[in-house]
Amino acid sequence: MDARSPDLTPDALSSAGWRSDAPTTKSLAEVNATIAVPLAGRWWRRLLAFVGPGYLVSVGYMDPGNWATDLAGGSKFGYTLLSVILLSNLMAILLQSLAARLGIVTDRDLAQACRATYSPAVNFMLWLACEAAIIACDLAEVIGTAIALKLLFGIPLIGGALIAALDAFLLLILMNRGFRFLEAFVISLLVVIAVCFAIQITAAAPPIAAVLRGFVPSTEIFTNHEMLYIAIGIIGATVMPHNLYLHSSIVQTRAYQRTDEGRREAIKWATTDSTVALMLALFINAAILVVAAATFHKSGHSDVAEIGQAFELLSPLLGLGIASTLFAVALLASGLNSTVTATLAGQIVMEGFLDLRLPSWARRLLTRGIAIVPVIIVTAIYGERGTADLLVFSQVILSMQLPFAVIPLVRFVSDRRKMGQFVIPASVAAIAWIVAAVIVVLNLKLLFDTIFG
Protein backbone atom coordinates (compact mmCIF):
# COMPACT_ATOMS: atom_id res chain seq x y z
CA MET A 1 0.00 0.00 0.00
CA ASP A 2 1.38 3.45 -0.93
CA ALA A 3 1.91 5.52 2.20
CA ARG A 4 0.58 8.52 0.27
CA SER A 5 -2.92 7.06 0.11
CA PRO A 6 -3.58 4.98 3.24
CA ASP A 7 -6.48 2.55 3.26
CA LEU A 8 -9.07 3.93 5.70
CA THR A 9 -11.63 1.16 5.40
CA PRO A 10 -12.76 -0.41 8.73
CA ASP A 11 -10.96 -3.71 8.01
CA ALA A 12 -7.72 -1.94 7.13
CA LEU A 13 -7.89 0.24 10.23
CA SER A 14 -8.48 -2.80 12.42
CA SER A 15 -5.58 -4.74 10.91
CA ALA A 16 -3.33 -1.73 11.50
CA GLY A 17 -4.22 -1.68 15.20
CA TRP A 18 -6.70 1.19 15.04
CA ARG A 19 -10.38 1.11 15.98
CA SER A 20 -12.62 0.68 12.95
CA ASP A 21 -14.61 3.79 13.93
CA ALA A 22 -11.48 5.94 14.30
CA PRO A 23 -11.96 9.48 12.93
CA THR A 24 -9.66 10.46 10.06
CA THR A 25 -9.64 14.24 10.51
CA LYS A 26 -6.22 15.82 10.00
CA SER A 27 -4.48 17.24 13.04
CA LEU A 28 -4.55 21.07 13.02
CA ALA A 29 -6.27 20.81 9.66
CA GLU A 30 -6.00 24.56 8.97
CA VAL A 31 -2.18 24.37 8.79
CA ASN A 32 -1.59 20.69 8.03
CA ALA A 33 0.98 20.22 5.21
CA THR A 34 1.07 23.94 4.45
CA ILE A 35 4.86 24.46 4.63
CA ALA A 36 6.72 23.36 1.50
CA VAL A 37 9.65 20.95 1.75
CA PRO A 38 12.15 20.98 -1.17
CA LEU A 39 12.43 17.59 -2.86
CA ALA A 40 15.90 18.24 -4.23
CA GLY A 41 18.87 20.50 -3.63
CA ARG A 42 21.30 20.76 -0.76
CA TRP A 43 20.57 18.95 2.50
CA TRP A 44 20.56 22.15 4.55
CA ARG A 45 17.58 23.49 2.58
CA ARG A 46 15.53 20.45 3.59
CA LEU A 47 16.72 20.81 7.20
CA LEU A 48 15.71 24.48 7.25
CA ALA A 49 12.25 23.50 6.00
CA PHE A 50 11.83 21.43 9.17
CA VAL A 51 13.30 23.99 11.58
CA GLY A 52 10.53 25.41 13.75
CA PRO A 53 8.42 22.74 15.47
CA GLY A 54 11.32 21.78 17.75
CA TYR A 55 11.61 25.36 18.97
CA LEU A 56 7.88 25.60 19.64
CA VAL A 57 8.23 22.44 21.69
CA SER A 58 11.35 23.71 23.48
CA VAL A 59 9.36 26.69 24.79
CA GLY A 60 7.61 24.36 27.20
CA TYR A 61 10.99 23.31 28.59
CA MET A 62 11.91 26.83 29.68
CA ASP A 63 8.55 28.31 30.71
CA PRO A 64 8.05 30.27 33.98
CA GLY A 65 7.43 27.03 35.88
CA ASN A 66 11.00 25.99 35.18
CA TRP A 67 12.22 29.27 36.63
CA ALA A 68 10.60 28.59 40.00
CA THR A 69 11.97 25.04 40.34
CA ASP A 70 15.43 25.96 39.00
CA LEU A 71 15.71 28.98 41.30
CA ALA A 72 14.64 26.93 44.31
CA GLY A 73 17.02 24.10 43.43
CA GLY A 74 20.01 26.36 42.75
CA SER A 75 19.65 28.65 45.77
CA LYS A 76 19.02 25.83 48.25
CA PHE A 77 21.21 22.99 46.96
CA GLY A 78 23.82 24.70 44.78
CA TYR A 79 24.75 22.84 41.61
CA THR A 80 23.55 19.39 42.79
CA LEU A 81 20.34 19.34 40.77
CA LEU A 82 22.07 20.09 37.46
CA SER A 83 22.16 16.32 37.02
CA VAL A 84 18.35 16.25 37.19
CA ILE A 85 18.12 18.96 34.52
CA LEU A 86 20.49 16.98 32.29
CA LEU A 87 18.60 13.73 32.86
CA SER A 88 15.28 15.45 32.20
CA ASN A 89 16.60 16.95 28.99
CA LEU A 90 17.85 13.58 27.73
CA MET A 91 14.42 12.12 28.52
CA ALA A 92 12.83 15.00 26.63
CA ILE A 93 15.02 14.51 23.55
CA LEU A 94 14.06 10.82 23.39
CA LEU A 95 10.35 11.31 24.04
CA GLN A 96 9.97 14.25 21.64
CA SER A 97 11.67 12.28 18.87
CA LEU A 98 9.17 9.48 19.46
CA ALA A 99 6.27 11.96 19.36
CA ALA A 100 7.50 13.37 16.04
CA ARG A 101 7.89 9.84 14.64
CA LEU A 102 4.33 8.94 15.66
CA GLY A 103 2.85 11.99 13.95
CA ILE A 104 4.88 11.61 10.75
CA VAL A 105 4.28 7.88 10.31
CA THR A 106 0.62 7.57 11.31
CA ASP A 107 -0.73 10.99 10.22
CA ARG A 108 -2.20 11.21 13.72
CA ASP A 109 -1.20 13.25 16.74
CA LEU A 110 -0.91 11.49 20.10
CA ALA A 111 -4.44 12.45 21.17
CA GLN A 112 -5.90 11.12 17.90
CA ALA A 113 -3.87 7.92 18.26
CA CYS A 114 -5.29 7.42 21.76
CA ARG A 115 -8.84 8.02 20.50
CA ALA A 116 -8.27 5.50 17.69
CA THR A 117 -6.96 2.85 20.11
CA TYR A 118 -8.64 3.03 23.51
CA SER A 119 -12.25 2.82 24.64
CA PRO A 120 -14.30 6.02 25.10
CA ALA A 121 -14.05 5.74 28.90
CA VAL A 122 -10.24 5.44 28.86
CA ASN A 123 -9.97 8.28 26.36
CA PHE A 124 -12.09 10.51 28.56
CA MET A 125 -9.84 9.85 31.56
CA LEU A 126 -6.71 10.51 29.48
CA TRP A 127 -8.26 13.74 28.25
CA LEU A 128 -8.98 14.87 31.82
CA ALA A 129 -5.40 14.09 32.86
CA CYS A 130 -4.00 16.02 29.91
CA GLU A 131 -6.31 18.98 30.50
CA ALA A 132 -5.11 19.07 34.13
CA ALA A 133 -1.53 19.25 32.86
CA ILE A 134 -2.37 22.06 30.42
CA ILE A 135 -4.18 24.01 33.14
CA ALA A 136 -1.15 23.58 35.45
CA CYS A 137 1.11 24.81 32.66
CA ASP A 138 -1.23 27.72 31.92
CA LEU A 139 -1.22 28.56 35.60
CA ALA A 140 2.58 28.87 35.53
CA GLU A 141 2.39 31.11 32.46
CA VAL A 142 -0.16 33.45 34.03
CA ILE A 143 1.88 33.75 37.22
CA GLY A 144 5.15 34.21 35.33
CA THR A 145 3.72 36.86 33.01
CA ALA A 146 2.06 38.70 35.91
CA ILE A 147 5.29 38.70 37.93
CA ALA A 148 7.28 39.97 34.92
CA LEU A 149 4.80 42.81 34.37
CA LYS A 150 5.07 43.75 38.05
CA LEU A 151 8.86 43.72 38.02
CA LEU A 152 9.16 45.75 34.80
CA PHE A 153 6.22 48.14 35.07
CA GLY A 154 5.04 47.99 38.70
CA ILE A 155 1.66 46.48 37.78
CA PRO A 156 0.08 44.62 40.76
CA LEU A 157 0.02 40.84 40.44
CA ILE A 158 -3.76 40.66 40.19
CA GLY A 159 -3.76 43.29 37.45
CA GLY A 160 -0.95 41.49 35.65
CA ALA A 161 -2.89 38.23 35.77
CA LEU A 162 -5.90 39.94 34.20
CA ILE A 163 -3.71 41.53 31.52
CA ALA A 164 -2.25 38.08 30.81
CA ALA A 165 -5.74 36.99 29.76
CA LEU A 166 -5.58 39.41 26.85
CA ASP A 167 -2.90 37.30 25.18
CA ALA A 168 -5.69 34.88 24.40
CA PHE A 169 -5.81 36.60 21.03
CA LEU A 170 -2.05 36.57 20.41
CA LEU A 171 -2.12 33.15 18.77
CA LEU A 172 -5.02 34.16 16.55
CA ILE A 173 -3.04 37.10 15.21
CA LEU A 174 0.08 35.01 14.65
CA MET A 175 -1.74 32.09 13.03
CA ASN A 176 -3.51 34.45 10.66
CA ARG A 177 -0.10 35.54 9.40
CA GLY A 178 0.90 31.92 8.72
CA PHE A 179 2.54 29.13 10.69
CA ARG A 180 6.04 30.19 9.63
CA PHE A 181 5.37 33.67 11.08
CA LEU A 182 4.33 32.02 14.35
CA GLU A 183 7.57 30.01 14.42
CA ALA A 184 9.66 33.12 13.67
CA PHE A 185 7.98 34.96 16.55
CA VAL A 186 8.73 32.14 18.97
CA ILE A 187 12.37 31.73 17.86
CA SER A 188 12.94 35.49 18.17
CA LEU A 189 11.79 35.47 21.80
CA LEU A 190 13.93 32.39 22.48
CA VAL A 191 16.96 34.31 21.24
CA VAL A 192 16.08 37.15 23.64
CA ILE A 193 15.91 34.70 26.56
CA ALA A 194 19.21 33.04 25.61
CA VAL A 195 21.05 36.37 25.28
CA CYS A 196 19.72 37.59 28.63
CA PHE A 197 20.99 34.52 30.44
CA ALA A 198 24.28 34.40 28.57
CA ILE A 199 25.03 37.88 29.95
CA GLN A 200 23.95 36.91 33.48
CA ILE A 201 25.93 33.68 33.59
CA THR A 202 29.01 35.56 32.35
CA ALA A 203 28.59 38.08 35.17
CA ALA A 204 28.04 35.31 37.74
CA ALA A 205 31.31 33.60 36.68
CA PRO A 206 30.50 30.23 38.33
CA PRO A 207 33.40 27.84 39.10
CA ILE A 208 33.58 25.46 36.13
CA ALA A 209 34.66 22.46 38.24
CA ALA A 210 31.68 22.83 40.60
CA VAL A 211 29.28 23.18 37.67
CA LEU A 212 30.65 20.03 36.01
CA ARG A 213 30.36 18.09 39.30
CA GLY A 214 26.73 19.15 39.45
CA PHE A 215 26.00 17.17 36.28
CA VAL A 216 27.03 13.95 38.10
CA PRO A 217 24.01 12.37 39.86
CA SER A 218 24.01 12.28 43.67
CA THR A 219 22.27 9.73 45.92
CA GLU A 220 21.23 12.62 48.17
CA ILE A 221 18.56 13.50 45.63
CA PHE A 222 16.66 10.33 46.56
CA THR A 223 17.24 10.44 50.33
CA ASN A 224 16.44 14.12 50.90
CA HIS A 225 12.66 14.58 50.61
CA GLU A 226 12.87 18.33 50.03
CA MET A 227 15.46 17.87 47.31
CA LEU A 228 13.40 15.07 45.73
CA TYR A 229 10.31 17.29 45.72
CA ILE A 230 12.16 20.01 43.79
CA ALA A 231 13.82 17.38 41.55
CA ILE A 232 10.45 15.96 40.53
CA GLY A 233 9.23 19.50 40.02
CA ILE A 234 12.17 20.02 37.65
CA ILE A 235 11.24 16.84 35.77
CA GLY A 236 7.64 18.00 35.59
CA ALA A 237 8.75 21.42 34.38
CA THR A 238 11.16 19.97 31.82
CA VAL A 239 9.45 16.88 30.38
CA MET A 240 6.00 18.33 29.80
CA PRO A 241 3.16 15.96 28.86
CA HIS A 242 1.29 18.39 26.60
CA ASN A 243 4.44 18.88 24.51
CA LEU A 244 4.20 15.27 23.35
CA TYR A 245 0.73 15.97 21.95
CA LEU A 246 1.92 19.26 20.48
CA HIS A 247 4.99 17.86 18.70
CA SER A 248 3.15 14.90 17.19
CA SER A 249 0.80 17.41 15.54
CA ILE A 250 2.91 20.35 14.41
CA VAL A 251 5.48 18.19 12.58
CA GLN A 252 2.64 17.46 10.19
CA THR A 253 2.58 21.12 9.10
CA ARG A 254 5.41 20.20 6.72
CA ALA A 255 4.39 19.12 3.21
CA TYR A 256 6.80 16.18 3.08
CA GLN A 257 5.94 13.37 0.69
CA ARG A 258 3.53 10.96 2.32
CA THR A 259 5.56 7.99 1.08
CA ASP A 260 7.90 5.68 2.95
CA GLU A 261 10.96 7.56 1.72
CA GLY A 262 9.35 10.93 2.42
CA ARG A 263 8.45 9.89 5.96
CA ARG A 264 11.95 8.55 6.59
CA GLU A 265 13.46 11.88 5.56
CA ALA A 266 10.90 13.78 7.65
CA ILE A 267 11.71 11.72 10.77
CA LYS A 268 15.43 12.47 10.33
CA TRP A 269 15.07 16.22 9.94
CA ALA A 270 12.32 16.60 12.55
CA THR A 271 14.44 14.71 15.11
CA THR A 272 17.45 16.91 14.30
CA ASP A 273 15.32 20.03 14.71
CA SER A 274 13.95 19.02 18.12
CA THR A 275 17.30 17.78 19.44
CA VAL A 276 19.08 21.05 18.63
CA ALA A 277 16.19 23.09 20.05
CA LEU A 278 16.14 21.08 23.27
CA MET A 279 19.87 21.61 23.73
CA LEU A 280 19.05 25.34 23.81
CA ALA A 281 16.45 24.57 26.49
CA LEU A 282 19.11 22.65 28.44
CA PHE A 283 21.40 25.68 28.35
CA ILE A 284 18.68 28.05 29.59
CA ASN A 285 17.45 25.74 32.36
CA ALA A 286 21.00 25.05 33.51
CA ALA A 287 21.80 28.78 33.31
CA ILE A 288 18.90 29.66 35.62
CA LEU A 289 20.05 27.12 38.21
CA VAL A 290 23.73 28.04 37.84
CA VAL A 291 23.01 31.76 38.25
CA ALA A 292 20.92 30.96 41.36
CA ALA A 293 23.66 28.74 42.79
CA ALA A 294 26.53 31.11 41.99
CA THR A 295 24.65 34.18 43.21
CA PHE A 296 22.27 33.16 45.99
CA HIS A 297 23.59 29.85 47.36
CA LYS A 298 27.16 31.14 47.40
CA SER A 299 26.18 34.31 49.30
CA GLY A 300 24.10 32.43 51.88
CA HIS A 301 20.69 33.32 50.42
CA SER A 302 19.61 29.69 50.29
CA ASP A 303 15.94 30.50 50.75
CA VAL A 304 15.49 32.33 47.43
CA ALA A 305 12.65 30.52 45.67
CA GLU A 306 10.56 33.49 44.56
CA ILE A 307 11.12 35.17 41.21
CA GLY A 308 10.53 38.62 42.70
CA GLN A 309 13.12 38.04 45.41
CA ALA A 310 15.63 36.86 42.80
CA PHE A 311 14.95 40.01 40.77
CA GLU A 312 15.72 42.27 43.75
CA LEU A 313 18.95 40.48 44.69
CA LEU A 314 20.49 39.77 41.28
CA SER A 315 21.88 43.20 40.44
CA PRO A 316 23.37 43.93 43.90
CA LEU A 317 24.93 40.49 44.26
CA LEU A 318 26.26 40.31 40.71
CA GLY A 319 27.38 43.94 40.65
CA LEU A 320 25.67 44.37 37.28
CA GLY A 321 22.96 47.03 37.24
CA ILE A 322 21.14 45.61 34.21
CA ALA A 323 21.07 42.00 35.53
CA SER A 324 17.67 42.26 37.20
CA THR A 325 16.11 43.94 34.17
CA LEU A 326 17.48 41.24 31.86
CA PHE A 327 16.03 38.63 34.22
CA ALA A 328 12.56 40.21 34.04
CA VAL A 329 12.68 40.71 30.26
CA ALA A 330 13.59 37.04 29.79
CA LEU A 331 10.73 36.05 32.10
CA LEU A 332 8.23 38.11 30.10
CA ALA A 333 9.48 36.62 26.82
CA SER A 334 9.16 33.15 28.35
CA GLY A 335 5.58 33.80 29.46
CA LEU A 336 4.54 35.12 26.04
CA ASN A 337 6.12 32.17 24.24
CA SER A 338 4.53 29.64 26.56
CA THR A 339 1.13 31.12 25.78
CA VAL A 340 1.48 30.06 22.17
CA THR A 341 2.43 26.45 22.85
CA ALA A 342 -0.22 25.91 25.53
CA THR A 343 -2.86 27.33 23.20
CA LEU A 344 -1.92 24.97 20.40
CA ALA A 345 -1.64 22.01 22.76
CA GLY A 346 -5.09 22.72 24.19
CA GLN A 347 -6.61 22.82 20.72
CA ILE A 348 -4.85 19.60 19.68
CA VAL A 349 -5.89 17.73 22.82
CA MET A 350 -9.53 18.79 22.68
CA GLU A 351 -9.88 18.05 18.98
CA GLY A 352 -7.94 14.79 19.19
CA PHE A 353 -9.61 13.21 22.21
CA LEU A 354 -13.13 14.58 21.84
CA ASP A 355 -13.27 15.37 18.12
CA LEU A 356 -14.74 18.61 19.45
CA ARG A 357 -13.83 21.83 17.65
CA LEU A 358 -14.25 25.15 19.38
CA PRO A 359 -13.15 28.49 17.97
CA SER A 360 -9.56 29.19 19.04
CA TRP A 361 -10.56 32.33 20.93
CA ALA A 362 -13.20 30.42 22.92
CA ARG A 363 -10.78 27.60 23.80
CA ARG A 364 -8.11 30.05 24.91
CA LEU A 365 -10.44 32.19 27.03
CA LEU A 366 -11.73 29.04 28.73
CA THR A 367 -8.29 27.74 29.76
CA ARG A 368 -7.05 31.22 30.66
CA GLY A 369 -10.10 31.78 32.86
CA ILE A 370 -9.51 28.50 34.69
CA ALA A 371 -5.86 29.44 35.30
CA ILE A 372 -6.46 33.05 36.32
CA VAL A 373 -9.04 32.30 39.05
CA PRO A 374 -6.66 30.39 41.39
CA VAL A 375 -3.90 32.95 40.79
CA ILE A 376 -6.16 35.81 41.86
CA ILE A 377 -7.44 33.88 44.90
CA VAL A 378 -3.96 32.85 46.07
CA THR A 379 -2.53 36.33 45.45
CA ALA A 380 -5.35 37.99 47.36
CA ILE A 381 -4.94 35.65 50.36
CA TYR A 382 -1.22 34.91 50.53
CA GLY A 383 0.43 37.53 48.34
CA GLU A 384 3.49 36.91 46.19
CA ARG A 385 4.76 34.16 48.50
CA GLY A 386 1.68 32.10 47.71
CA THR A 387 2.16 32.45 43.97
CA ALA A 388 5.76 31.19 44.28
CA ASP A 389 4.57 28.05 46.08
CA LEU A 390 1.80 27.67 43.50
CA LEU A 391 4.38 27.79 40.69
CA VAL A 392 6.42 24.91 42.13
CA PHE A 393 3.26 22.93 42.95
CA SER A 394 1.99 23.35 39.37
CA GLN A 395 5.18 21.72 38.08
CA VAL A 396 4.74 18.73 40.40
CA ILE A 397 1.18 18.37 39.06
CA LEU A 398 2.64 18.34 35.53
CA SER A 399 5.02 15.58 36.54
CA MET A 400 2.10 13.54 37.91
CA GLN A 401 0.42 13.64 34.48
CA LEU A 402 3.51 12.47 32.58
CA PRO A 403 2.81 8.71 32.75
CA PHE A 404 -0.59 9.21 31.11
CA ALA A 405 1.11 10.66 28.03
CA VAL A 406 4.42 8.78 28.02
CA ILE A 407 3.05 5.23 28.36
CA PRO A 408 0.60 5.46 25.40
CA LEU A 409 3.29 7.13 23.27
CA VAL A 410 5.88 4.42 23.90
CA ARG A 411 3.27 1.74 23.38
CA PHE A 412 2.23 3.15 20.00
CA VAL A 413 5.72 3.63 18.53
CA SER A 414 6.65 0.10 19.70
CA ASP A 415 3.65 -1.46 17.89
CA ARG A 416 4.64 -2.84 14.49
CA ARG A 417 1.01 -2.95 13.32
CA LYS A 418 0.71 0.81 13.77
CA MET A 419 4.21 1.84 12.72
CA GLY A 420 5.13 -0.80 10.14
CA GLN A 421 8.78 -0.52 9.09
CA PHE A 422 9.10 2.64 11.19
CA VAL A 423 8.59 0.82 14.51
CA ILE A 424 11.36 1.75 16.93
CA PRO A 425 14.14 -0.83 17.52
CA ALA A 426 13.88 -3.07 20.59
CA SER A 427 16.84 -1.29 22.22
CA VAL A 428 15.19 2.13 21.87
CA ALA A 429 11.90 0.70 23.11
CA ALA A 430 13.68 -0.71 26.17
CA ILE A 431 15.22 2.69 26.97
CA ALA A 432 11.86 4.40 26.44
CA TRP A 433 10.14 1.99 28.82
CA ILE A 434 12.90 2.54 31.39
CA VAL A 435 12.30 6.29 31.12
CA ALA A 436 8.57 5.72 31.62
CA ALA A 437 9.29 3.48 34.63
CA VAL A 438 11.63 6.06 36.19
CA ILE A 439 8.95 8.72 35.88
CA VAL A 440 6.31 6.46 37.46
CA VAL A 441 8.59 5.36 40.32
CA LEU A 442 9.66 8.92 41.14
CA ASN A 443 6.06 10.06 41.21
CA LEU A 444 4.98 7.16 43.44
CA LYS A 445 7.84 7.90 45.86
CA LEU A 446 6.86 11.54 46.03
CA LEU A 447 3.24 10.62 46.74
CA PHE A 448 4.29 8.14 49.43
CA ASP A 449 6.64 10.61 51.12
CA THR A 450 4.05 13.38 50.92
CA ILE A 451 1.32 11.24 52.49
CA PHE A 452 3.34 9.25 55.04
CA GLY A 453 6.56 11.25 55.33
Side-chain angles (χ1 to χ4, degrees):
M1 179 180 67
D2 189 343
R4 183 190 301 272
S5 304
D7 189 349
L8 300 178
T9 61
D11 288 343
L13 287 171
S14 180
S15 64
W18 306 111
R19 287 172 47 188
S20 59
D21 60 345
T24 56
T25 309
K26 291 182 178 180
S27 182
L28 286 180
E30 65 271 24
V31 291
N32 192 284
T34 57
I35 298 175
V37 175
L39 301 179
R42 297 184 180 276
W43 64 268
W44 57 266
R45 293 185 63 229
R46 295 194 295 279
L47 172 60
L48 286 177
F50 279 92
V51 170
Y55 291 89
L56 264 68
V57 169
S58 73
V59 166
Y61 294 88
M62 57 184 93
D63 76 340
N66 294 70
W67 293 51
T69 53
D70 292 341
L71 283 173
S75 64
K76 187 173 290 292
F77 303 112
Y79 305 102
T80 305
L81 293 179
L82 280 173
S83 59
V84 177
I85 292 178
L86 176 60
L87 175 64
S88 299
N89 206 75
L90 294 175
M91 288 181 177
I93 288 173
L94 172 62
L95 294 175
Q96 294 299 161
S97 70
L98 298 183
R101 177 182 290 260
L102 176 70
I104 291 168
V105 172
T106 67
D107 291 324
R108 288 181 171 89
D109 59 56
L110 180 56
Q112 290 174 324
C114 289
R115 181 179 173 85
T117 302
Y118 301 122
S119 67
V122 172
N123 274 309
F124 184 73
M125 296 304 297
L126 289 174
W127 171 70
L128 288 179
C130 190
E131 285 292 346
I134 292 174
I135 291 170
C137 179
D138 215 38
L139 187 65
E141 294 161 16
V142 170
I143 296 173
T145 303
I147 292 175
L149 290 172
K150 177 186 178 183
L151 298 179
L152 288 171
F153 308 110
I155 299 173
L157 282 178
I158 294 178
L162 293 174
I163 291 174
L166 298 178
D167 65 14
F169 302 99
L170 176 61
L171 180 63
L172 295 177
I173 297 172
L174 294 172
M175 290 284 278
N176 286 339
R177 299 289 296 272
F179 203 77
R180 269 305 206 189
F181 188 89
L182 170 65
E183 292 173 345
F185 174 83
V186 167
I187 292 174
S188 298
L189 289 183
L190 289 178
V191 171
V192 170
I193 298 170
V195 170
C196 288
F197 274 105
I199 295 173
Q200 290 178 72
I201 204 168
T202 300
I208 301 301
V211 172
L212 293 177
R213 281 197 301 271
F215 285 106
V216 179
S218 169
T219 56
E220 186 184 1
I221 296 172
F222 300 95
T223 58
N224 185 323
H225 176 260
E226 188 177 7
M227 189 180 291
L228 178 65
Y229 181 83
I230 295 177
I232 293 180
I234 289 174
I235 293 176
T238 305
V239 187
M240 307 192 83
H242 72 274
N243 267 345
L244 302 177
Y245 296 93
L246 176 68
H247 202 185
S248 61
S249 174
I250 59 178
V251 291
Q252 298 178 54
T253 58
R254 272 48 187 175
Y256 51 85
Q257 288 186 302
R258 264 56 175 180
T259 63
D260 289 345
E261 183 57 33
R263 294 178 199 276
R264 187 174 292 106
E265 280 271 303
I267 291 171
K268 178 175 68 174
W269 298 126
T271 301
T272 302
D273 169 51
S274 63
T275 301
V276 172
L278 289 174
M279 293 307 295
L280 172 63
L282 171 62
F283 163 75
I284 292 176
N285 278 328
I288 297 171
L289 190 142
V290 168
V291 168
T295 307
F296 307 132
H297 185 75
K298 180 182 178 181
S299 61
H301 295 83
S302 60
D303 59 341
V304 176
E306 300 174 17
I307 292 174
Q309 189 179 5
F311 172 84
E312 294 172 359
L313 292 174
L314 261 179
S315 285
L317 292 177
L318 284 180
L320 181 67
I322 200 175
S324 292
T325 301
L326 290 174
F327 182 83
V329 168
L331 177 62
L332 182 59
S334 174
L336 289 174
N337 255 353
S338 301
T339 295
V340 173
T341 58
T343 300
L344 283 176
Q347 179 181 343
I348 291 162
V349 166
M350 179 168 285
E351 292 179 355
F353 276 117
L354 306 182
D355 203 25
L356 175 65
R357 301 179 186 278
L358 291 177
S360 297
W361 62 268
R363 176 67 178 80
R364 192 56 187 163
L365 286 178
L366 176 62
T367 56
R368 271 304 190 192
I370 294 174
I372 286 171
V373 169
V375 174
I376 292 176
I377 293 174
V378 170
T379 302
I381 297 176
Y382 299 104
E384 192 168 331
R385 172 70 185 179
T387 59
D389 292 338
L390 196 59
L391 259 181
V392 176
F393 179 70
S394 71
Q395 303 312 299
V396 176
I397 293 297
L398 279 171
S399 184
M400 293 298 177
Q401 310 308 317
L402 269 173
F404 300 106
V406 172
I407 291 175
L409 172 64
V410 178
R411 179 189 170 193
F412 295 152
V413 296
S414 305
D415 188 338
R416 185 170 294 277
R417 289 192 304 163
K418 288 180 169 62
M419 301 295 289
Q421 63 176 296
F422 297 102
V423 66
I424 60 175
S427 57
V428 177
I431 295 172
W433 282 117
I434 290 173
V435 168
V438 167
I439 290 171
V440 172
V441 169
L442 286 176
N443 287 332
L444 289 177
K445 177 170 175 53
L446 177 66
L447 281 175
F448 181 84
D449 290 348
T450 301
I451 296 173
F452 300 105

